[in-house]
Amino acid sequence: MRASNLLHQLQIPPTNLAKRSIRRFSNSQIPKGRKSASETQKSHSLCICRQLQSSSCENAEEGTRRSNSEDVVFTLEKASKKHETVGAFQKLPMVMPAIDILSSAQRKARNVPPTKGIANIAKREKNRGAKQLDALMKELAVPLRTYMETFPNKRYLHPYERSLIELTFGEGNYEQVLGRVDALRKKLISVGKQHASLCAQSSSKREAEERLNEGRKRLEETFNIGKSAVDDLLTVAKTLRAMPVVDPRTPTLCLVGAPNVGKSSLVRILSSGKPEVCNYPFTTRGVLMGHIILNYERFQVTDTPGLLRRHEDDRNNIERLTLAVLSHLPTAVLFVHDLSGECGTSPDDQFVTYKEIKERFGDRLWLDVISKCDLLGDSSTGIIEGDDAVARYKMFGPDGSIRVSVKSELGVDELKSRVHQLLISQMARIRSEKGEEQSDGMISSS
């Protein structure tokens, strides 16, 4: 039969339903007006084609489900990769002050007219009241929903930006502010729907007006009670948006050392950064960014808060910003030492901190600089008895360090030359690591 040949040519085994259909058509007793053989074959073919169409649809649906599943996986992977890049803070929405949100919502809601064509005064008034309450609720709640959708989830951020949030606002405070904003949004929706429904059920014009005024008052009170959450979110947005953007793909030099050792002064002579320079500890209370242009290449220089000699758990959030930069960004390190005793941190304490950081981040490209060398005596005649590492450090500084004085410009040219060499080496390292990642990705995909 042609249907059987069709199945054979398409290499699709006939289903049980198709086989039963063929037998039923073949063995049935046809009354008078019996069909011709050609008509019987047409019926057989129609049955088989319907069965083939059903099988094809099932296969298509299965392929669609499988394709959709693959698209979801791809989207999640793409989103995951997107979240791992920095720069999320610069994409934050502009948060309106709470008082502006309220005044704008009141103005827009009062201008909402009733539905046209309602002749009955009472019905028209309750329709107007319900629509205005619904509009007021939406004008208050929709901006809050926008903020909830556009402020990033902290767990999807780059580790560096995640650390900045935790260290700037404290553990859990960022999520708490967003939670308060969302709770206010839900409360506004609940109150708005309740009073809009009551207004729509009014039996007279006077009752509709009273319920409209009551609903307005209740919505405004609800918003005013929770408006501090919106203003707190505004502060969070301003703070995060003002933070410097650090590109992990650009070679970065991170200046590290005790407070007031001269890091900010070195940043000023090395880059375009203009940090504050004062003679007291913790002048730098955040990560400051400058840039160096060398042979048409752009490099980053970060000035970080000073580190004091103390246990890791005892460090404040300002100090932990420095460790966050070193931990989560591919930086080269310029460690600044002040052996003059002018910075407020003794050379002994600086040595302990230096050894700790060097041991922890020793895999980074490294350059040691002794600042304020114009205040130091001639160390070439110093004599050290025995193998006293601290005494040697206090006299000469770390092995291979260079001496610099910003005031007298002593050693500045050598510093710039060494920094340029360090950044070029850092660029080569970043490109090498990027090439290895791409190779690993090609291998895993194949």
Side-chain angles (χ1 to χ4, degrees):
M1 296 171 65
R2 284 191 300 177
S4 299
N5 292 337
L6 179 61
L7 286 172
H8 179 72
Q9 291 174 5
L10 295 177
Q11 297 182 348
I12 301 177
T15 62
N16 293 334
L17 177 61
K19 292 177 181 179
R20 287 197 299 270
S21 300
I22 293 173
R23 286 197 297 269
R24 187 168 64 250
F25 274 92
S26 300
N27 300 331
S28 58
Q29 297 293 330
I30 301 181
K32 21 181 187 176
R34 173 177 295 188
K35 296 180 182 179
S36 66
S38 63
E39 290 176 337
T40 302
Q41 288 182 352
K42 288 180 181 179
S43 298
H44 292 171
S45 301
L46 178 62
C47 174
I48 300 305
C49 288
R50 284 176 178 171
Q51 185 63 27
L52 288 173
Q53 185 179 12
S54 175
S55 300
S56 300
C57 289
E58 291 175 1
N59 291 335
E61 289 175 359
E62 169 108 16
T64 302
R65 284 194 298 268
R66 187 163 54 246
S67 175
N68 290 340
S69 176
E70 291 172 354
D71 289 343
V72 170
V73 172
F74 173 77
T75 303
L76 290 174
E77 289 178 352
K78 185 177 180 181
S80 175
K81 291 179 181 178
K82 180 180 179 181
H83 288 316
E84 282 300 314
T85 61
V86 296
F89 299 158
Q90 280 60 47
K91 301 173 185 177
L92 294 175
M94 298 300 295
V95 179
M96 292 176 61
I99 188 173
D100 292 346
I101 295 177
L102 179 58
S103 60
S104 174
Q106 291 171 331
R107 183 178 65 256
K108 291 179 180 179
R110 290 182 186 277
N111 292 330
V112 174
T115 303
K116 292 182 179 180
I118 302 178
N120 185 281
I121 296 178
K123 290 183 178 180
R124 184 167 64 247
E125 190 61 28
K126 70 179 184 180
N127 175 268
R128 182 179 73 90
K131 289 181 66 176
Q132 288 192 0
L133 288 176
D134 184 69
L136 180 58
M137 172 201 70
K138 290 179 178 177
E139 291 296 332
L140 293 173
V142 168
L144 307 187
R145 184 187 67 188
T146 302
Y147 302 152
M148 294 302 301
E149 292 174 348
T150 51
F151 269 76
N153 189 323
K154 194 177 73 174
R155 61 183 160 179
Y156 296 134
L157 290 173
H158 188 278
Y160 168 67
E161 292 182 326
R162 190 160 59 241
S163 297
L164 287 184
I165 287 180
E166 294 172 355
L167 297 175
T168 303
F169 304 110
E171 182 67 34
N173 288 335
Y174 174 79
E175 296 90 334
Q176 185 180 19
V177 171
L178 289 175
R180 287 165 52 208
V181 171
D182 197 41
L184 175 60
R185 179 188 67 85
K186 292 177 180 178
K187 184 66 175 177
L188 288 169
I189 292 174
S190 175
V191 172
K193 287 183 176 181
Q194 176 187 357
H195 285 274
S197 176
L198 289 174
C199 190
Q201 297 171 14
S202 303
S203 57
S204 65
K205 176 183 177 182
R206 180 176 179 180
E207 183 182 4
E209 290 175 343
E210 290 176 351
R211 289 185 172 178
L212 171 59
N213 292 331
E214 181 184 354
R216 282 177 182 159
K217 182 179 178 181
R218 186 75 180 89
L219 275 171
E220 291 168 6
E221 286 178 352
T222 301
F223 186 81
N224 284 325
I225 290 173
K227 69 178 183 179
S228 62
V230 180
D231 292 331
D232 288 345
L233 188 65
L234 173 60
T235 302
V236 168
K238 286 182 177 179
T239 304
L240 293 179
R241 203 180 290 113
M243 288 185 173
V245 180
V246 181
D247 185 358
R249 298 165 296 182
T250 302
T252 304
L253 179 68
C254 179
L255 276 75
V256 185
N260 203 29
V261 294
K263 299 187 298 297
S264 298
S265 297
L266 294 178
V267 169
R268 291 173 71 92
I269 65 170
L270 288 173
S271 72
S272 60
K274 302 300 179 186
E276 180 183 8
V277 179
C278 297
N279 191 28
Y280 55 84
F282 293 112
T283 301
T284 304
R285 297 182 177 273
V287 177
L288 303 178
M289 181 66 61
H291 294 90
I292 299 175
I293 307 297
L294 174 64
N295 296 333
Y296 305 102
E297 294 282 359
R298 186 181 181 90
F299 303 96
Q300 300 171 140
V301 179
T302 62
D303 181 18
T304 58
L307 297 175
L308 297 175
R309 176 185 177 180
R310 48 186 164 196
H311 191 270
E312 177 74 19
D313 297 335
D314 297 328
R315 296 195 184 279
N316 58 36
N317 286 350
I318 296 178
E319 293 176 275
R320 289 176 181 173
L321 284 173
T322 300
L323 300 179
V325 173
L326 294 174
S327 299
H328 302 304
L329 295 176
T331 60
V333 176
L334 191 153
F335 203 102
V336 185
H337 310 261
D338 180 5
L339 306 182
S340 68
E342 294 288 325
C343 68
T345 304
S346 68
D348 298 78
D349 288 346
Q350 291 184 58
F351 178 73
V352 173
T353 304
Y354 168 71
K355 297 297 287 184
E356 176 190 341
I357 300 301
K358 181 75 170 178
E359 181 178 351
R360 182 171 174 181
F361 301 103
D363 60 329
R364 306 299 176 88
L365 296 177
W366 198 284
L367 176 61
D368 289 303
V369 173
I370 300 174
S371 66
K372 307 177 186 178
C373 69
D374 55 304
L375 302 178
L376 300 176
D378 186 7
S379 61
S380 61
T381 60
I383 300 175
I384 299 176
E385 297 180 359
D387 188 17
D388 190 341
V390 177
R392 181 177 296 277
Y393 170 82
K394 293 166 67 174
M395 181 69 69
F396 304 106
D399 294 339
S401 59
I402 60 175
R403 296 190 167 215
V404 175
S405 171
V406 175
K407 185 176 181 180
S408 65
E409 297 187 354
L410 178 66
V412 170
D413 291 338
E414 182 186 0
L415 173 64
K416 290 181 177 180
S417 176
R418 293 280 294 275
V419 165
H420 293 166
Q421 294 174 13
L422 194 69
L423 289 173
I424 291 173
S425 299
Q426 178 69 6
M427 174 181 285
R429 175 179 287 195
I430 291 176
R431 288 176 176 173
S432 175
E433 292 174 352
K434 184 178 180 181
E436 292 177 359
E437 290 177 0
Q438 290 177 346
S439 299
D440 293 341
M442 294 176 62
I443 293 173
S444 60
S445 61
S446 61

PDB file of all heavy atoms in Angstrom, residues 274-291:
ATOM      1  N   LYS A 274      43.626  63.715  41.838  1.00  0.00           N
ATOM      2  CA  LYS A 274      43.933  64.841  42.719  1.00  0.00           C
ATOM      3  C   LYS A 274      43.342  64.588  44.104  1.00  0.00           C
ATOM      4  O   LYS A 274      42.386  65.239  44.524  1.00  0.00           O
ATOM      5  CB  LYS A 274      43.369  66.146  42.141  1.00  0.00           C
ATOM      6  CG  LYS A 274      43.886  66.477  40.742  1.00  0.00           C
ATOM      7  CD  LYS A 274      45.402  66.640  40.712  1.00  0.00           C
ATOM      8  CE  LYS A 274      45.919  66.942  39.309  1.00  0.00           C
ATOM      9  NZ  LYS A 274      47.393  66.961  39.230  1.00  0.00           N
ATOM     10  N   PRO A 275      43.882  63.626  44.834  1.00  0.00           N
ATOM     11  CA  PRO A 275      43.357  63.345  46.170  1.00  0.00           C
ATOM     12  C   PRO A 275      43.735  64.435  47.154  1.00  0.00           C
ATOM     13  O   PRO A 275      44.663  65.213  46.940  1.00  0.00           O
ATOM     14  CB  PRO A 275      44.016  62.017  46.540  1.00  0.00           C
ATOM     15  CG  PRO A 275      45.275  62.000  45.752  1.00  0.00           C
ATOM     16  CD  PRO A 275      44.964  62.716  44.463  1.00  0.00           C
ATOM     17  N   GLU A 276      43.007  64.486  48.273  1.00  0.00           N
ATOM     18  CA  GLU A 276      43.296  65.450  49.326  1.00  0.00           C
ATOM     19  C   GLU A 276      44.600  65.065  50.027  1.00  0.00           C
ATOM     20  O   GLU A 276      44.838  63.889  50.304  1.00  0.00           O
ATOM     21  CB  GLU A 276      42.131  65.452  50.330  1.00  0.00           C
ATOM     22  CG  GLU A 276      42.300  66.425  51.481  1.00  0.00           C
ATOM     23  CD  GLU A 276      41.146  66.316  52.467  1.00  0.00           C
ATOM     24  OE1 GLU A 276      40.332  65.396  52.318  1.00  0.00           O
ATOM     25  OE2 GLU A 276      41.086  67.145  53.381  1.00  0.00           O
ATOM     26  N   VAL A 277      45.422  66.051  50.308  1.00  0.00           N
ATOM     27  CA  VAL A 277      46.687  65.806  50.990  1.00  0.00           C
ATOM     28  C   VAL A 277      46.695  66.615  52.282  1.00  0.00           C
ATOM     29  O   VAL A 277      46.740  67.852  52.255  1.00  0.00           O
ATOM     30  CB  VAL A 277      47.894  66.206  50.110  1.00  0.00           C
ATOM     31  CG1 VAL A 277      49.195  65.967  50.866  1.00  0.00           C
ATOM     32  CG2 VAL A 277      47.887  65.410  48.813  1.00  0.00           C
ATOM     33  N   CYS A 278      46.611  65.927  53.422  1.00  0.00           N
ATOM     34  CA  CYS A 278      46.621  66.588  54.722  1.00  0.00           C
ATOM     35  C   CYS A 278      47.505  65.801  55.680  1.00  0.00           C
ATOM     36  O   CYS A 278      47.788  64.621  55.455  1.00  0.00           O
ATOM     37  CB  CYS A 278      45.208  66.700  55.302  1.00  0.00           C
ATOM     38  SG  CYS A 278      44.091  67.721  54.325  1.00  0.00           S
ATOM     39  N   ASN A 279      47.894  66.439  56.743  1.00  0.00           N
ATOM     40  CA  ASN A 279      48.817  65.812  57.683  1.00  0.00           C
ATOM     41  C   ASN A 279      48.064  65.209  58.866  1.00  0.00           C
ATOM     42  O   ASN A 279      48.258  65.598  60.010  1.00  0.00           O
ATOM     43  CB  ASN A 279      49.847  66.838  58.171  1.00  0.00           C
ATOM     44  CG  ASN A 279      50.978  66.159  58.936  1.00  0.00           C
ATOM     45  OD1 ASN A 279      51.283  64.999  58.694  1.00  0.00           O
ATOM     46  ND2 ASN A 279      51.579  66.888  59.867  1.00  0.00           N
ATOM     47  N   TYR A 280      47.142  64.293  58.577  1.00  0.00           N
ATOM     48  CA  TYR A 280      46.493  63.546  59.664  1.00  0.00           C
ATOM     49  C   TYR A 280      46.043  62.202  59.109  1.00  0.00           C
ATOM     50  O   TYR A 280      45.822  62.046  57.907  1.00  0.00           O
ATOM     51  CB  TYR A 280      45.301  64.315  60.257  1.00  0.00           C
ATOM     52  CG  TYR A 280      44.244  64.743  59.273  1.00  0.00           C
ATOM     53  CD1 TYR A 280      43.223  63.874  58.877  1.00  0.00           C
ATOM     54  CD2 TYR A 280      44.250  66.020  58.726  1.00  0.00           C
ATOM     55  CE1 TYR A 280      42.249  64.272  57.998  1.00  0.00           C
ATOM     56  CE2 TYR A 280      43.278  66.418  57.833  1.00  0.00           C
ATOM     57  CZ  TYR A 280      42.272  65.548  57.479  1.00  0.00           C
ATOM     58  OH  TYR A 280      41.301  65.944  56.591  1.00  0.00           O
ATOM     59  N   PRO A 281      45.901  61.207  60.005  1.00  0.00           N
ATOM     60  CA  PRO A 281      45.586  59.848  59.541  1.00  0.00           C
ATOM     61  C   PRO A 281      44.220  59.782  58.860  1.00  0.00           C
ATOM     62  O   PRO A 281      43.319  60.559  59.142  1.00  0.00           O
ATOM     63  CB  PRO A 281      45.602  59.023  60.833  1.00  0.00           C
ATOM     64  CG  PRO A 281      46.415  59.827  61.796  1.00  0.00           C
ATOM     65  CD  PRO A 281      46.167  61.265  61.442  1.00  0.00           C
ATOM     66  N   PHE A 282      44.095  58.795  57.978  1.00  0.00           N
ATOM     67  CA  PHE A 282      42.854  58.483  57.279  1.00  0.00           C
ATOM     68  C   PHE A 282      42.303  59.679  56.515  1.00  0.00           C
ATOM     69  O   PHE A 282      41.115  59.948  56.507  1.00  0.00           O
ATOM     70  CB  PHE A 282      41.793  57.919  58.240  1.00  0.00           C
ATOM     71  CG  PHE A 282      42.151  56.587  58.804  1.00  0.00           C
ATOM     72  CD1 PHE A 282      42.435  56.443  60.146  1.00  0.00           C
ATOM     73  CD2 PHE A 282      42.232  55.471  57.999  1.00  0.00           C
ATOM     74  CE1 PHE A 282      42.782  55.212  60.675  1.00  0.00           C
ATOM     75  CE2 PHE A 282      42.578  54.229  58.511  1.00  0.00           C
ATOM     76  CZ  PHE A 282      42.857  54.101  59.862  1.00  0.00           C
ATOM     77  N   THR A 283      43.208  60.437  55.879  1.00  0.00           N
ATOM     78  CA  THR A 283      42.765  61.461  54.939  1.00  0.00           C
ATOM     79  C   THR A 283      41.944  60.809  53.831  1.00  0.00           C
ATOM     80  O   THR A 283      40.893  61.308  53.440  1.00  0.00           O
ATOM     81  CB  THR A 283      43.976  62.177  54.315  1.00  0.00           C
ATOM     82  OG1 THR A 283      44.737  62.755  55.370  1.00  0.00           O
ATOM     83  CG2 THR A 283      43.537  63.249  53.347  1.00  0.00           C
ATOM     84  N   THR A 284      42.430  59.681  53.333  1.00  0.00           N
ATOM     85  CA  THR A 284      41.730  58.941  52.286  1.00  0.00           C
ATOM     86  C   THR A 284      40.724  58.009  52.942  1.00  0.00           C
ATOM     87  O   THR A 284      41.089  57.038  53.602  1.00  0.00           O
ATOM     88  CB  THR A 284      42.724  58.126  51.438  1.00  0.00           C
ATOM     89  OG1 THR A 284      43.704  59.016  50.909  1.00  0.00           O
ATOM     90  CG2 THR A 284      42.013  57.426  50.309  1.00  0.00           C
ATOM     91  N   ARG A 285      39.439  58.327  52.780  1.00  0.00           N
ATOM     92  CA  ARG A 285      38.381  57.533  53.415  1.00  0.00           C
ATOM     93  C   ARG A 285      37.633  56.672  52.405  1.00  0.00           C
ATOM     94  O   ARG A 285      36.603  56.086  52.727  1.00  0.00           O
ATOM     95  CB  ARG A 285      37.407  58.458  54.142  1.00  0.00           C
ATOM     96  CG  ARG A 285      38.089  59.218  55.272  1.00  0.00           C
ATOM     97  CD  ARG A 285      37.122  60.109  56.032  1.00  0.00           C
ATOM     98  NE  ARG A 285      37.819  60.758  57.140  1.00  0.00           N
ATOM     99  CZ  ARG A 285      37.969  60.230  58.347  1.00  0.00           C
ATOM    100  NH1 ARG A 285      37.480  59.031  58.599  1.00  0.00           N
ATOM    101  NH2 ARG A 285      38.606  60.878  59.297  1.00  0.00           N
ATOM    102  N   GLY A 286      38.115  56.623  51.205  1.00  0.00           N
ATOM    103  CA  GLY A 286      37.537  55.764  50.184  1.00  0.00           C
ATOM    104  C   GLY A 286      38.587  55.491  49.129  1.00  0.00           C
ATOM    105  O   GLY A 286      39.721  55.958  49.235  1.00  0.00           O
ATOM    106  N   VAL A 287      38.213  54.731  48.110  1.00  0.00           N
ATOM    107  CA  VAL A 287      39.133  54.432  47.020  1.00  0.00           C
ATOM    108  C   VAL A 287      39.093  55.586  46.029  1.00  0.00           C
ATOM    109  O   VAL A 287      38.040  55.921  45.489  1.00  0.00           O
ATOM    110  CB  VAL A 287      38.746  53.112  46.335  1.00  0.00           C
ATOM    111  CG1 VAL A 287      39.660  52.834  45.165  1.00  0.00           C
ATOM    112  CG2 VAL A 287      38.801  51.965  47.334  1.00  0.00           C
ATOM    113  N   LEU A 288      40.236  56.235  45.804  1.00  0.00           N
ATOM    114  CA  LEU A 288      40.342  57.333  44.858  1.00  0.00           C
ATOM    115  C   LEU A 288      41.059  56.852  43.598  1.00  0.00           C
ATOM    116  O   LEU A 288      41.960  56.018  43.667  1.00  0.00           O
ATOM    117  CB  LEU A 288      41.099  58.506  45.485  1.00  0.00           C
ATOM    118  CG  LEU A 288      40.506  59.053  46.789  1.00  0.00           C
ATOM    119  CD1 LEU A 288      41.366  60.182  47.326  1.00  0.00           C
ATOM    120  CD2 LEU A 288      39.074  59.529  46.585  1.00  0.00           C
ATOM    121  N   MET A 289      40.644  57.398  42.459  1.00  0.00           N
ATOM    122  CA  MET A 289      41.133  56.883  41.187  1.00  0.00           C
ATOM    123  C   MET A 289      41.801  57.977  40.366  1.00  0.00           C
ATOM    124  O   MET A 289      41.318  59.100  40.292  1.00  0.00           O
ATOM    125  CB  MET A 289      39.956  56.296  40.397  1.00  0.00           C
ATOM    126  CG  MET A 289      40.333  55.706  39.058  1.00  0.00           C
ATOM    127  SD  MET A 289      41.378  54.253  39.232  1.00  0.00           S
ATOM    128  CE  MET A 289      40.281  53.192  40.151  1.00  0.00           C
ATOM    129  N   GLY A 290      42.939  57.644  39.779  1.00  0.00           N
ATOM    130  CA  GLY A 290      43.597  58.501  38.812  1.00  0.00           C
ATOM    131  C   GLY A 290      43.983  57.668  37.595  1.00  0.00           C
ATOM    132  O   GLY A 290      43.842  56.442  37.597  1.00  0.00           O
ATOM    133  N   HIS A 291      44.466  58.323  36.546  1.00  0.00           N
ATOM    134  CA  HIS A 291      44.844  57.607  35.330  1.00  0.00           C
ATOM    135  C   HIS A 291      46.193  58.091  34.811  1.00  0.00           C
ATOM    136  O   HIS A 291      46.566  59.250  35.003  1.00  0.00           O
ATOM    137  CB  HIS A 291      43.785  57.776  34.244  1.00  0.00           C
ATOM    138  CG  HIS A 291      42.476  57.132  34.587  1.00  0.00           C
ATOM    139  ND1 HIS A 291      41.475  57.805  35.264  1.00  0.00           N
ATOM    140  CD2 HIS A 291      42.006  55.876  34.377  1.00  0.00           C
ATOM    141  CE1 HIS A 291      40.446  56.987  35.443  1.00  0.00           C
ATOM    142  NE2 HIS A 291      40.745  55.826  34.911  1.00  0.00           N
TER     143      HIS A 291
END
